[in-house]
Amino acid sequence: MKIVILNSGSSSIKYQLINMPSNDVLCSGMIDRIGLETSNLTYVTDTTKIEENMPIANHKIGLEKIAQLLLDETVGVIKSTAEIDAVGHRVVHGGSAFSNTVIITAAVKDKIRQLFELAPLHNPANLEGIIVAEAIFSGAKQVAVFDTAFHQTIPVVAHKYAIPNYLLTENKIRLYGFHGTSHKYVSENAMQYLKQNVNNEGSNIITIHLGNGCSMTAIKEGKSIDHTLGFGPMNGLIMGTRSGDVDQSVIFYLVNTLGYSLEAVNTMLQKQSGMLGLTGYSDLRDIEANAENGNADCQLALAMNAYRIKKYIGSYTAVLNGLDAIIFTAGIGENSSYIRKLVCTDMEYFGIRLDESKNEIRSKAIREINTEDSKTKILVIPTNEEIEIANQVFELLTT
């Protein structure tokens, strides 16, 4: 079964064509910096590697470019879209309607659209990917895998907000959690690694997903028990353009005293805050480069970013009542040795000791970057949401 996996993020598209059930990746690639002046495109097969820089204004243009490459007479890996059996889509917010992987219908698309306000940077891009894929791969089953599904195990003491009860029972306002596909994938790989290499089941793990969107999960015995993102993917850690945690009083002050509209505040907190608001840049590579050149705003923003992560490590260690490992993953978590160093500095009380030389090594494999005497393992595990999505799609369509 050939399955195209589309992972449309807020400013990127990751894609793979996977032959199941062998997990054989026929091609893979990514488009990032979508909407910026210059976007980066990669397309990789066993015999071809294409890297291009070009302006890609939106997700629709990006998805059409990916389809062109898949079908290209020279570098393509399929001759006809009829070869594709299914397209698996990452969808960020499933609300209370979806706790499992589902075949996409008109009703499913309508519900994803209704949830736009809860994930305004993601669900619209996810739905755009579905609509374009339906047109390109018209004979394939379209399947949605929801980021919120992995976090359904979060107990009520953690997912319920201290607001009137009817808002949960009638309006389903609660913590849902996001990046669940990634957190599930890396936590399962971490537990397997710890069991094989450390003789430790790894029952207490904190996964740290750092990309343009960022989140952390407390995982006990393989189950999510708390998470930094909540009703929508906006709070918690400092992100590329999202503020993360902010005192609610700030919102009322902006509206009632400074005269901002609610729409303007929403736009500010979703699209103009985070690292962009602090530095003028939303891409961490630009921020790190400017910080190295002495930009004080960039240096402070990086310190604030790491500080927020450290606070959650502390609180989640308390919730878990122990800590076997922390895992860095996603674009920033896997590639930024600078952020990892900031996070792991002065964390000896939690048994976290970073080996700075190991931290500088780049690899696509799971790797330890802790010192030999570190009580807590520090792991870098490349996420592969696409493989996780493919596994769930295959299971749904064959059982």
Side-chain angles (χ1 to χ4, degrees):
M1 180 183 292
K2 289 181 180 177
I3 303 175
V4 172
I5 305 300
L6 293 178
N7 182 347
S8 297
S10 55
S11 63
S12 65
I13 303 170
K14 294 180 184 177
Y15 64 93
Q16 292 187 14
L17 175 56
I18 302 174
N19 198 13
M20 295 296 290
S22 64
N23 281 341
D24 182 22
V25 178
L26 304 180
C27 79
S28 64
M30 180 177 181
I31 301 175
D32 66 2
R33 300 168 71 101
I34 292 173
L36 300 182
E37 185 175 339
T38 302
S39 304
N40 305 315
L41 179 147
T42 60
Y43 174 82
V44 180
T45 70
D46 288 341
T47 58
T48 304
K49 183 173 184 179
I50 296 174
E51 296 180 328
E52 296 182 13
N53 299 318
M54 67 187 76
I56 295 179
N58 54 50
H59 287 72
K60 182 176 185 295
I61 293 172
L63 288 164
E64 289 173 346
K65 179 64 177 177
I66 291 166
Q68 289 171 10
L69 288 167
L70 291 174
L71 292 162
D72 187 87
E73 290 184 1
T74 304
V75 300
V77 290
I78 57 173
K79 296 187 181 299
S80 167
T81 57
E83 296 180 39
I84 304 303
D85 299 291
V87 182
H89 299 268
R90 175 208 179 198
V91 180
V92 165
H93 210 312
S96 60
F98 304 107
S99 57
N100 295 298
T101 300
V102 298
I103 293 175
I104 296 169
T105 63
V108 170
K109 287 187 288 185
D110 286 343
K111 190 62 182 179
I112 292 170
R113 189 177 289 108
Q114 291 170 24
L115 293 165
F116 275 10
E117 289 188 5
L118 302 188
L121 298 185
H122 296 87
N123 271 36
N126 303 153
L127 184 59
E128 184 71 34
I130 291 168
I131 293 169
V132 174
E134 285 178 330
I136 296 171
F137 306 104
S138 57
K141 294 284 188 182
Q142 307 289 328
V143 178
V145 177
F146 295 92
D147 267 9
T148 46
F150 178 61
H151 301 297
Q152 293 299 305
T153 54
I154 293 176
V156 64
V157 69
H159 78 236
K160 185 175 182 179
Y161 294 120
I163 56 179
N165 288 328
Y166 72 86
L167 290 170
L168 173 60
T169 56
E170 297 178 19
N171 303 106
K172 310 302 181 185
I173 297 176
R174 51 160 287 181
L175 184 153
Y176 285 103
F178 300 92
H179 298 137
T181 307
S182 175
H183 288 288
K184 180 177 185 290
Y185 179 84
V186 298
S187 63
E188 289 175 350
N189 277 268
M191 288 185 290
Q192 184 178 15
Y193 175 89
L194 292 170
K195 184 175 182 179
Q196 292 175 346
N197 295 276
V198 190
N199 194 26
N200 183 326
E201 295 290 341
S203 61
N204 296 315
I205 289 174
I206 297 173
T207 50
I208 308 170
H209 177 107
L210 303 178
N212 193 54
C214 303
S215 65
M216 293 170 59
T217 304
I219 299 173
K220 193 172 192 69
E221 297 178 356
K223 295 182 178 180
S224 172
I225 64 166
D226 207 345
H227 182 75
T228 56
L229 294 171
F231 183 58
M234 188 174 171
N235 58 304
L237 306 182
I238 297 172
M239 293 170 257
T241 65
R242 284 168 275 172
S243 65
D245 289 339
V246 65
D247 182 350
Q248 298 94 323
S249 301
V250 172
I251 298 172
F252 297 110
Y253 183 79
L254 288 168
V255 173
N256 297 328
T257 303
L258 299 185
Y260 283 78
S261 68
L262 284 172
E263 183 180 357
V265 173
N266 184 55
T267 298
M268 177 194 296
L269 296 179
Q270 294 270 16
K271 299 181 179 181
Q272 299 168 351
S273 297
M275 300 301 277
L276 176 64
L278 293 170
T279 69
Y281 305 97
S282 62
D283 192 295
L284 195 84
R285 291 165 291 192
D286 298 328
I287 297 168
E288 287 190 2
N290 280 278
E292 289 177 3
N293 289 329
N295 184 307
D297 286 340
C298 291
Q299 291 170 347
L300 177 59
L302 290 167
M304 291 172 63
N305 190 307
Y307 182 80
R308 186 76 58 85
I309 296 168
K310 293 170 83 161
K311 285 177 64 175
Y312 272 104
I313 290 175
S315 64
Y316 283 176
T317 301
V319 168
L320 290 165
N321 192 27
L323 185 59
D324 295 302
I326 61 173
I327 293 95
F328 290 94
T329 193
I332 293 169
E334 295 167 27
N335 296 304
S336 177
S337 59
Y338 189 78
I339 285 290
R340 294 194 300 262
K341 180 179 178 181
L342 286 179
V343 170
C344 294
T345 298
D346 297 328
M347 294 287 279
E348 291 85 1
Y349 185 81
F350 295 96
I352 297 171
R353 296 179 182 273
L354 182 73
D355 185 314
E356 293 193 20
S357 60
K358 292 180 182 178
N359 186 40
E360 296 299 326
I361 296 172
R362 286 205 171 197
S363 171
K364 293 184 178 180
I366 296 176
R367 61 193 188 276
E368 287 187 31
I369 58 172
N370 50 271
T371 61
E372 292 296 327
D373 63 345
S374 180
K375 180 181 177 182
T376 299
K377 294 297 180 184
I378 309 170
L379 304 179
V380 179
I381 302 180
T383 192
N384 197 326
E385 292 167 292
E386 292 72 32
I387 288 291
E388 179 62 33
I389 292 169
N391 288 334
Q392 293 189 37
V393 170
F394 182 78
E395 182 178 357
L396 175 68
L397 297 180
T398 56
T399 56

